[in-house]
Amino acid sequence: MQTASEIGEFAWLVESKERIMRLTDYPQTFLYEMVEVAKVNYDYGVAMTCAEQLTDLEPFNCEFWENLAEIQIAASKFDDSINSADYALAINPESVRAMMLKAQALYEMCRPCEEVVAWLDKAIEVEPDDPAPAHYKALTLYAAGFVQMAVDALEAYRRRHPDDLPTVEYLNTITDGAIPVDVMMAAMERAAEGNDDWNAKAEELIRAGRHGAAVNMLVSSFRLHQLPPVSALFIELYVCRRYKELQDYMDISAIAGWNLRLPEQLAYTLSLLRTGAESQKVLDSIARTESLLDIGSDDDRSLNASPLETAGYRAVTAQIRRSLLSGEQVDIDAIDPFPVMK
């Protein structure tokens, strides 16, 4: 069946379904596999029909009702999904999956948050070590604007499983990096992901505007792996107004001999200005910034930017130099190319 689908014969499977069922000794197996193939092909109509036939053949099979409820949610038939979940719960009142499916359908129907969470609480009571209902509860509360309650839900699970990485990642995201770095590191240390994986995750957080969460992950990754940090660490420290930390990392880089690129050097220059550093120290940093503007594009430290972007960086450094040498006040906000958090 899977082979037929993979070679583009899913339509033939649908047309031949009834004939194939008559030739099988146990049609439930065929229908079950047909449901999976239909879902892969995003044909929820066929998937639903087969799932309904399964419940007709075995009306007291809890899994079949759960599968039907899941497909009905995917097809936006939320009322039907709730009915199917209720059938599953009538067969097995402690089915965590059925409770979660009912909660999901209620959520999709924009029912009150309390009603959704009530079902998730029941699931957590049955399986307190299952992360799925705890995570879904937290995300439901967060989406409804109950941020602290969402944090509390995740912390309740983390107290039982302190090193559960997804729980810590959710906490890091919804608090935008307010959790301690040690907590982040403890969970990351036991994970299989390498440095590149954490950098990629941090980039996703940056794109989502979660700069605090991104910098927390980048700092934790650097402390764990002790590799030269990616440019994003310096930039995100600056964006999050953590200027002293940025300057500390710059001091470490000078000792370690890291080849820094132009963006982090400029972020360092601006951090010196924002913390009231001596003019000469800022001018020295500007000189290093300007030297990076003039290196070839094949150098790893180059900006690798368009001529317009390069001209923008050059204009920023020139404006800072002119202001310092003339004794004028530098209007940092007017020239800052980085999105500093309020």
Side-chain angles (χ1 to χ4, degrees):
M1 184 183 302
Q2 185 176 351
T3 302
S5 174
E6 289 174 351
I7 63 174
E9 294 297 332
F10 175 68
W12 174 84
L13 278 174
V14 174
E15 293 171 5
S16 308
K17 178 170 75 72
E18 298 301 326
R19 182 164 59 88
I20 295 172
M21 282 181 62
R22 289 194 296 270
L23 298 173
T24 60
D25 295 328
Y26 192 66
Q28 287 92 322
T29 300
F30 169 76
L31 286 170
Y32 190 94
E33 293 179 0
M34 191 72 182
V35 167
E36 297 305 310
V37 170
K39 288 195 293 187
V40 169
N41 285 272
Y42 302 102
D43 193 327
Y44 295 112
V46 170
M48 201 178 312
T49 298
C50 294
E52 287 170 347
Q53 287 181 281
L54 279 171
T55 60
D56 289 339
L57 290 170
E58 292 191 23
F60 297 105
N61 187 313
C62 180
E63 182 185 1
F64 290 171
W65 285 107
E66 291 168 349
N67 290 345
L68 178 57
E70 186 177 81
I71 295 164
Q72 287 165 333
I73 288 174
S76 299
K77 294 183 175 295
F78 304 121
D79 282 322
D80 292 340
S81 178
I82 289 173
N83 290 334
S84 297
D86 282 338
Y87 272 110
L89 287 166
I91 298 166
N92 178 11
E94 294 195 343
S95 169
V96 170
R97 185 185 177 199
M99 292 175 192
M100 289 194 62
L101 286 166
K102 184 163 184 176
Q104 185 179 351
L106 290 168
Y107 177 85
E108 295 292 348
M109 294 172 70
C110 300
R111 298 287 280 273
C113 178
E114 295 82 0
E115 190 175 353
V116 178
V117 168
W119 281 101
L120 296 171
D121 281 338
K122 289 181 182 180
I124 292 169
E125 185 178 350
V126 173
E127 288 290 348
D129 293 326
D130 186 347
H135 292 170
Y136 194 18
K137 175 183 176 180
L139 295 175
T140 300
L141 289 165
Y142 182 78
F146 301 113
V147 178
Q148 188 54 53
M149 292 175 67
V151 171
D152 291 343
L154 290 170
E155 286 289 6
Y157 184 81
R158 194 178 73 83
R159 281 193 292 273
R160 297 189 298 273
H161 302 277
D163 300 326
D164 184 70
L165 180 61
T167 301
V168 173
E169 286 189 276
Y170 279 130
L171 276 168
N172 185 50
T173 300
I174 68 175
T175 64
D176 201 13
I179 64 171
V181 170
D182 290 346
V183 170
M184 190 84 212
M185 288 177 61
M188 290 170 66
E189 192 171 13
R190 289 163 177 76
E193 285 93 337
N195 193 54
D196 289 343
D197 298 297
W198 297 119
N199 293 340
K201 288 184 177 182
E203 289 292 345
E204 290 180 10
L205 289 168
I206 292 168
R207 287 193 291 271
R210 312 301 288 182
H211 298 283
V215 77
N216 209 25
M217 186 171 284
L218 289 166
V219 167
S220 299
S221 178
F222 169 68
R223 291 187 185 179
L224 280 174
H225 298 99
Q226 293 298 306
L227 296 172
V230 292
S231 175
L233 173 59
F234 290 85
I235 305 304
E236 291 305 301
L237 284 169
Y238 180 78
V239 168
C240 294
R241 296 179 176 269
R242 292 162 64 167
Y243 306 130
K244 180 62 169 59
E245 286 181 71
L246 168 57
Q247 292 164 19
D248 288 343
Y249 276 110
M250 190 60 73
D251 292 340
I252 294 171
S253 74
I255 297 170
W258 297 332
N259 286 329
L260 299 181
R261 295 175 64 249
L262 191 147
E264 55 255 38
Q265 184 65 52
L266 181 57
Y268 173 68
T269 301
L270 291 169
S271 79
L272 292 174
L273 278 172
R274 289 190 180 276
T275 54
E278 295 179 358
S279 294
Q280 188 56 54
K281 189 171 185 178
V282 179
L283 289 169
D284 290 342
S285 181
I286 288 174
R288 289 191 293 273
T289 305
E290 290 174 334
S291 69
L292 290 172
L293 278 165
D294 296 328
I295 63 177
S297 60
D298 58 340
D299 192 302
D300 288 340
R301 297 169 296 164
S302 69
L303 182 59
N304 290 325
S306 68
L308 184 60
E309 289 173 316
T310 303
Y313 273 78
R314 196 179 296 278
V316 169
T317 56
Q319 178 61 50
I320 296 171
R321 179 185 290 280
R322 281 196 302 270
S323 297
L324 290 175
L325 292 178
S326 65
E328 297 176 3
Q329 183 71 29
V330 182
D331 186 355
I332 308 175
D333 292 336
I335 61 173
D336 196 339
F338 303 113
V340 178
M341 292 175 66
K342 301 300 183 184

